């Protein structure tokens, strides 16, 4: 079959980066194949981790969800798929069927996954079960509307360890006429009927990302979305749903998921008249239209989801484990994030060879492992008004190119990184003067600027090839190990004048596909290259871009107190292994708040540690403090970045306290961070009860910073630290402490 784009299951990176490894894992696990089909009952069942997921073919030929929850016994019966009984003439049989993937047609009243219109005016689409295949551990189920000539192939791939399922769809046009896709979802997830569900999701804005919100799910709909052309920070494509007030960090049934797409997206959550909750996610239907000629197809992004009985904390840990083991591009040999220095705050656009070398020397003396030159090294780039798009070294600032600086950085024992923003262009640039047609635009209409720049139309083959080749040339002629890939504005005027009017709105899909392809090709050409996804902070963080990059930038806001909330919210959906956090100057540039260097370091040590301050202005005492924290961080970073995260005290809603604990995957080490934003009325800091330790093991604790209450034992059992807890003496405003717990053996006779 001729296709409009390559098959997602084979090549699209949001799924391909995981499917290749998960398929191998499933194929080699012959003792417990995770996917089963019962031909007699026409039901499919997936068992993995601690979950069971089941669906079947009902009497109308629809694919109907039967169960999604805690793992069942192998011989436990499942109900036969059957549409809900008619409720009234307004809700006839089949109208509210919890379908796995519904076309908009017939009596349907639930949110459809696929809505189309044909050249002849028909808009009715009823998808019925046709066939299935299980190939190397991946289930592919085909649905068809034979009369309309449309097929949908649903892919199901499951991670055996976490029970997280990845679902996507391929839409195929077998008709003799064109079909336009008006709404395309990757998947729908159906929850059991109940009236006490609540939804948690993440909202934000620039410098204020990752706020955790909770709202009850009531009859009607909640729409989480971005219409911005990229993931956006107003909402993030992640959700968690639990039952009533019974779910918290450690208790309660939680269904959770995330969409792997870096363009405009939508997650639609509604509760129907039967109290059924349905979560549908995929391309944002706003301004969306994707025309398929006969013989063409479209592959959707992947919508991942999981379940746990053990609260939102365990849901986060499952997501973190899944991201590290299945999503990140180097998951087979996941690298620890090096301690990084970025020159932006010290120099802004006033970069030059001598100044960067002085910063590099100071950074290396502190123990930094990666040195990154930020904006201002290229073209006529002396402000954000010019030069963007001209990725050639500014010879006034670097007379001999970047090589002398790179050699200096490498000689100091650090890797070298560079800031780029390749998807954008300033009107005042050589590139724009040569190719004004290369930006998103509508003929004859205004071109709105954001940060004095326009968005290049990566959907065009010539534009995407240009970006690939200029970056490939930059990397080929310079020994660069790292790119900070930035993206600093939303889309506007998303036209593609070179296409016919019927094809122009494909820009929302093709742009992102080409972005993924550019990054994939660069990584294939330059083995060992690492990339950070940055978008004015956290405006492009999702499982799609994460499958191609090594770390992400959660926020431009580096105030260490604000960062406690930002990093806490981030951790609900994404792993500390990818979360960069910088120590910057005080008072902080965002809000003018002053903080100690201790507080700034400890706040940043909860993720990938970086420094962005002007270190040339630090005193000898500050240098010594920084060296001590960097050395301490290197001793604990494997636990912080790759361990199991427990949120002990939440900083959400400007709460005065925050505390996190990370436990190493082998259980040998635990790291505790505690913060007091604002002391009140001489109140004592809350006792902290550790989690995730071995009750029968003995742990010795030591402080990185701070003070524990008198009488705190140097060594105690895991049971002691979890049930008696530890009291830390934090007082006043902006105080912090950190402690390390090392397992040193078992309690005698295993007694408590």
């Amino acid at each position: 079959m001729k296709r409009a784009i390559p098959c997602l299951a084979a090549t699209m990176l949001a799924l391909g980066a995981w499917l290749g490894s998960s398929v191998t894992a499933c194929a080699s696990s012959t003792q417990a194949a995770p996917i089963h089909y019962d031909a007699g009952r026409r039901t499919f069942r997936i068992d993995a981790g601690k979950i069971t997921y089941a669906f079947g073919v009902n009497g109308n030929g629809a694919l109907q969800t039967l169960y999604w929850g805690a793992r069942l016994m192998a011989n436990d019966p499942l109900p036969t798929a059957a549409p809900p009984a008619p409720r009234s003439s307004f809700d006839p049989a089949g109208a509210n069927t919890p379908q796995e993937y519904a076309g908009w047609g017939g009596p349907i009243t639930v949110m459809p996954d696929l809505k189309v219109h044909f050249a002849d005016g028909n808009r009715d689409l009823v998808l019925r079960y046709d066939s299935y295949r299980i190939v190397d551990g991946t289930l592919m189920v085909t649905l068809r509307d034979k009369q309309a000539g449309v097929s949908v192939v649903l892919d199901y791939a499951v991670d055996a360890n976490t029970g997280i399922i990845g679902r996507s769809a391929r839409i195929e046009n077998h008709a003799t006429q064109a079909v336009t896709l008006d709404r395309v979802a990757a998947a729908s997830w159906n929850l059991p009927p109940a009236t006490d569900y609540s939804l948690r999701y993440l909202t934000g804005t620039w410098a204020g990302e990752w706020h955790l919100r909770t709202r009850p799910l009531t009859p009607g709909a909640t729409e989480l979305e971005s219409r911005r052309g990229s993931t956006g920070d107003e909402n993030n494509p992640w959700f968690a749903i639990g039952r009533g007030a019974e779910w918290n960090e450690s208790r309660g049934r939680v269904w959770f998921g995330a969409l792997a797409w870096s363009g405009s997206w939508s997650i639609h959550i509604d509760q129907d008249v039967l109290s059924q909750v349905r979560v549908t996610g995929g391309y944002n239907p706003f301004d969306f239209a994707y025309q398929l000629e006969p013989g063409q197809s479209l592959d959707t992004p992947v919508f991942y989801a999981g379940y746990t009985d053990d609260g939102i904390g365990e849901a986060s840990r499952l997501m973190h484990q899944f991201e590290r083991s299945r999503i990140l591009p180097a998951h087979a040999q996941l690298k620890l994030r090096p301690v990084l220095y970025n020159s932006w705050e010290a120099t802004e656009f006033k970069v030059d060879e001598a100044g960067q070398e002085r910063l590099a020397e100071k950074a290396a003396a502190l123990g930094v492992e990666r040195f990154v030159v930020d904006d201002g090294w290229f073209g006529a780039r002396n402000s954000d008004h010019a030069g963007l798009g001209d990725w050639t070294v500014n010879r006034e600032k670097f007379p001999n190119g970047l090589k002398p600086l790179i050699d200096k950085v490498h000689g100091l024992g650090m890797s070298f990184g560079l800031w780029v923003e390749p998807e954008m262009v300033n009107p005042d640039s050589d590139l724009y003067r040569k190719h004004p047609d290369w930006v998103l635009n509508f003929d004859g209409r205004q071109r709105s600027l954001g940060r004095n720049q326009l968005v290049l139309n990566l959907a065009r083959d010539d534009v995407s090839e240009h970006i690939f080749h200029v970056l490939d040339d930059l990397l080929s002629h310079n020994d660069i190990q790292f790119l900070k890939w930035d993206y600093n504005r939303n889309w506007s005027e998303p036209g593609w004048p070179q296409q016919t009017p019927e094809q122009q709105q494909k820009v929302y899909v093709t742009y992102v596909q080409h972005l993924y392809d550019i990054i994939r090709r660069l990584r294939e050409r330059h083995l060992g290259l690492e990339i950070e996804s940055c978008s004015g902070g956290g405006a492009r963080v999702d499982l799609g871009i994460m499958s191609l990059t090594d770390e992400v930038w959660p926020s431009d806001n580096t105030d260490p107190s604000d960062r406690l909330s930002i990093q806490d919210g981030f951790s609900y959906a994404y792993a500390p292994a990818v979360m960069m956090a910088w120590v910057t100057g005080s008072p902080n540039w965002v809000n003018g708040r002053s903080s100690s260097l201790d507080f700034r370091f400890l706040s940043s040590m909860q993720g990938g540690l970086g420094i962005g301050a002007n270190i040339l202005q630090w005193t000898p005492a500050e240098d010594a403090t920084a060296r001590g924290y960097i050395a301490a961080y290197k001793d604990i970073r494997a636990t912080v970045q790759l361990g199991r995260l427990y949120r002990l005290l939440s900083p959400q809603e400007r709460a005065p306290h925050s505390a996190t604990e990370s436990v190493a995957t082998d259980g040998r080490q635990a790291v505790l961070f505690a913060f007091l934003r604002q002391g009140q009325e001489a109140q004592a800091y809350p006792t902290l009860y550790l989690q995730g330790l071995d009750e029968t093991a003995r742990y010795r604790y030591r402080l990185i910073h701070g003070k524990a209450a008198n009488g705190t034992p140097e060594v105690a059992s895991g049971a002691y630290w979890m049930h008696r807890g530890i009291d830390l003496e934090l007082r006043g405003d902006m105080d912090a402490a950190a402690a390390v717990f090392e397992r040193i053996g078992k309690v005698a006779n295993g007694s408590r």
Side-chain angles (χ1 to χ4, degrees):
M1 163 172 273
K2 175 184 171 187
R3 293 177 181 161
I5 65 167
C7 171
L8 179 65
T11 62
M12 185 161 177
L13 293 162
L15 179 60
W18 173 50
L19 263 185
S21 55
S22 66
V23 165
T24 302
C26 291
S28 62
S29 181
T30 56
Q31 293 182 344
I35 301 172
H36 306 271
Y37 177 64
D38 183 333
R41 300 175 65 86
R42 303 180 81 193
T43 59
F44 298 89
R45 175 169 165 165
I46 300 173
D47 295 288
K50 295 182 178 181
I51 71 100
T52 294
Y53 186 91
F55 56 93
V57 183
N58 68 27
N60 294 332
L63 208 59
Q64 180 177 335
T65 306
L66 299 176
Y67 176 81
W68 181 25
R71 189 157 181 167
L72 305 177
M73 299 299 291
N75 59 354
D76 281 339
L78 288 167
T80 300
R87 188 175 178 277
S88 71
S89 62
F90 297 99
D91 299 292
N96 297 291
T97 301
Q99 294 189 55
E100 288 285 288
Y101 200 90
W104 187 73
I108 185 173
T109 56
V110 301
M111 174 58 68
D113 297 270
L114 181 61
K115 183 181 182 301
V116 307
H117 71 267
F118 292 88
D120 65 4
N122 174 47
R123 303 193 308 279
D124 185 65
L125 185 74
V126 179
L127 297 172
R128 293 184 171 90
Y129 172 76
D130 180 82
S131 60
Y132 84 95
R133 294 184 296 151
I134 300 176
V135 180
D136 293 331
T138 299
L139 172 64
M140 288 167 280
V141 181
T142 298
L143 308 176
R144 296 188 193 279
D145 184 322
K146 293 182 180 179
Q147 182 179 356
V150 172
S151 296
V152 178
V153 181
L154 306 180
D155 277 10
Y156 296 76
V158 61
D159 177 46
N161 294 317
T162 63
I164 290 176
I165 298 170
R167 292 180 53 191
S168 63
R170 181 167 66 251
I171 319 303
E172 300 175 345
N173 181 12
H174 299 276
T176 58
Q177 60 177 319
V179 58
T180 299
L181 313 182
D182 302 311
R183 181 184 187 100
V184 186
S188 284
W189 304 95
N190 295 290
L191 278 62
T195 58
D196 60 347
Y197 283 116
S198 56
L199 167 71
R200 290 182 184 170
Y201 58 105
L202 294 163
T203 69
T205 183
W206 176 82
E209 301 91 336
W210 309 105
H211 290 283
L212 183 69
R213 308 295 187 191
T214 303
R215 67 168 61 175
L217 286 180
T218 58
T222 297
E223 192 87 19
L224 308 177
E225 65 170 356
S226 171
R227 300 180 180 183
R228 298 170 180 260
S230 66
T231 315
D233 46 28
E234 188 176 22
N235 290 296
N236 187 268
W238 169 88
F239 75 91
I241 296 173
R243 294 289 301 273
E246 70 183 44
W247 62 307
N248 55 29
E249 281 291 318
S250 58
R251 186 180 69 250
R253 297 184 177 96
V254 182
W255 295 262
F256 58 94
L259 184 67
W261 184 242
S262 306
S264 294
W265 59 271
S266 169
I267 295 178
H268 180 98
I269 304 125
D270 62 17
Q271 185 179 67
D272 66 18
V273 296
L274 303 179
S275 298
Q276 299 172 139
V277 169
R278 181 173 174 86
V279 183
T280 304
Y283 302 121
N284 195 317
F286 177 82
D287 195 41
F288 180 88
Y290 198 101
Q291 188 177 85
L292 295 178
E293 296 294 335
Q296 290 187 330
S297 65
L298 172 67
D299 291 292
T300 73
V302 187
F303 199 1
Y304 297 100
Y307 171 84
T308 179
D309 277 342
D310 298 320
I312 189 68
E314 182 63 14
S316 297
R317 288 184 288 275
L318 288 169
M319 282 296 291
H320 299 170
Q321 179 184 347
F322 177 73
E323 289 157 5
R324 293 192 305 264
S325 63
R326 298 302 189 192
I327 295 295
L328 290 173
H331 58 75
Q333 296 177 326
L334 193 63
K335 297 178 182 178
L336 295 175
R337 295 294 86 215
V339 179
L340 174 150
Y341 181 77
N342 182 285
S343 67
W344 173 253
E345 190 166 297
T347 63
E348 295 191 354
F349 293 104
K350 297 177 182 179
V351 299
D352 58 42
E353 185 176 312
Q356 296 296 301
E357 287 187 352
R358 287 194 297 273
L359 286 166
E361 290 169 353
K362 182 67 175 288
L366 297 175
V368 167
E369 298 161 309
R370 171 167 289 163
F371 184 84
V372 181
V373 178
D374 209 280
D375 200 352
W377 58 269
F378 56 92
R381 190 69 167 172
N382 297 307
S383 72
D384 63 12
H385 287 73
L388 202 59
D390 300 334
W391 299 106
T392 55
V393 178
N394 185 311
R395 291 289 175 160
E396 293 182 3
K397 300 178 180 183
F398 298 92
N400 300 302
L402 293 174
K403 188 177 188 304
L405 175 60
I406 293 174
D407 290 345
K408 175 78 171 182
V409 168
H410 289 164
L412 291 167
M414 299 182 292
S415 59
F416 182 81
L418 209 57
W419 178 95
V420 294
E421 192 175 4
E423 300 163 70
M424 303 289 170
V425 65
N426 288 126
D428 185 1
S429 66
D430 293 340
L431 181 65
Y432 186 80
R433 283 185 282 271
K434 185 177 180 180
H435 297 289
D437 57 323
W438 276 14
V439 299
L440 294 173
N441 74 96
F442 294 115
D443 270 344
R445 302 292 296 174
Q446 74 282 347
R447 300 185 179 191
S448 302
L449 294 177
R451 199 177 181 251
N452 305 301
Q453 61 197 50
L454 297 165
V455 182
L456 290 168
N457 184 3
L458 266 65
R460 289 179 52 145
D461 291 340
D462 50 359
V463 175
S464 62
E465 281 301 305
H466 170 79
I467 292 174
F468 169 75
H469 286 299
V470 295
L471 293 176
D472 180 50
D473 185 69
L474 177 68
L475 294 167
S476 297
H477 290 89
N478 297 281
D479 192 4
I480 297 168
Q481 288 74 53
F482 174 81
L483 293 178
K484 183 179 176 70
W485 189 300
D486 214 340
Y487 177 97
N488 276 311
R489 60 156 294 180
N490 298 315
W491 286 19
S492 59
E493 297 90 36
W496 188 358
Q498 295 74 28
Q499 291 284 353
T500 64
E502 296 78 18
Q503 299 289 337
Q504 283 202 30
Q505 286 160 290
K506 287 185 175 182
V507 68
Y508 289 102
V509 175
T510 309
Y511 180 106
V512 180
Q513 291 172 339
H514 282 182
L515 169 66
Y516 289 168
D517 188 61
I518 290 167
I519 300 175
R520 176 187 59 78
R521 292 166 64 194
L522 287 173
R523 296 193 70 128
E524 289 175 351
R525 286 266 296 164
H526 304 279
L527 299 178
L529 175 68
E530 296 180 20
I531 298 174
E532 176 183 285
S533 174
C534 175
S535 179
R540 189 157 69 189
V541 177
D542 60 81
L543 296 185
I545 201 71
M546 195 180 291
S547 71
L548 294 155
T549 56
D550 303 272
E551 62 189 47
V552 298
W553 183 234
S555 179
D556 282 349
N557 186 345
T558 57
D559 174 80
S561 178
D562 287 350
R563 266 297 182 121
L564 296 177
S565 298
I566 289 167
Q567 293 171 182
D568 177 82
F570 180 95
S571 74
Y572 280 88
Y574 303 110
V578 302
M579 182 183 72
M580 292 305 297
W582 289 2
V583 176
T584 58
S586 179
N588 188 269
W589 69 275
V590 171
N591 51 31
R593 182 185 289 123
S594 296
S595 58
S596 68
L597 194 56
D598 298 300
F599 195 98
R600 281 177 273 155
F601 261 101
L602 293 176
S603 176
S604 297
M605 286 166 65
Q606 295 175 98
L609 176 62
I611 300 173
N614 187 351
I615 53 178
L616 297 178
Q617 297 177 348
W618 280 1
T619 66
E622 289 174 315
D623 291 347
T625 297
R627 281 194 296 271
Y629 279 118
I630 290 171
Y633 178 75
K634 291 175 181 177
D635 182 56
I636 63 171
R637 67 174 153 191
T639 298
V640 170
Q641 294 180 22
L642 307 181
R644 301 186 300 276
L645 176 68
Y646 297 87
R647 294 178 289 262
L648 305 183
L649 294 176
S650 172
Q652 294 292 323
E653 305 299 332
R654 302 304 307 166
H657 310 121
S658 176
T660 65
E661 176 201 0
S662 298
V663 180
T665 53
D666 62 7
R668 293 172 182 256
Q669 186 184 76
V671 183
L672 174 67
F673 292 98
F675 302 89
L676 177 61
R677 283 168 160 165
Q678 183 179 22
Q680 299 178 23
E681 300 174 346
Q683 294 176 1
Y685 194 81
T687 298
L688 297 176
Y689 302 97
L690 274 65
Q691 298 183 39
L693 304 183
D694 180 351
E695 291 199 351
T696 65
R698 299 169 69 239
Y699 294 85
R700 175 180 286 114
Y701 99 96
R702 57 183 169 84
L703 287 164
I704 296 176
H705 177 74
K707 184 179 179 181
N710 290 334
T712 302
E714 180 183 354
V715 176
S717 69
Y720 179 93
W721 298 119
M722 291 193 291
H723 304 307
R724 164 57 184 86
I726 185 170
D727 292 305
L728 298 171
E729 296 189 356
L730 276 65
R731 291 190 175 89
D733 295 342
M734 305 291 280
D735 198 5
V740 181
F741 297 78
E742 305 281 1
R743 191 177 67 199
I744 59 174
K746 286 285 188 178
V747 175
N749 300 321
S751 60
R752 292 176 59 176

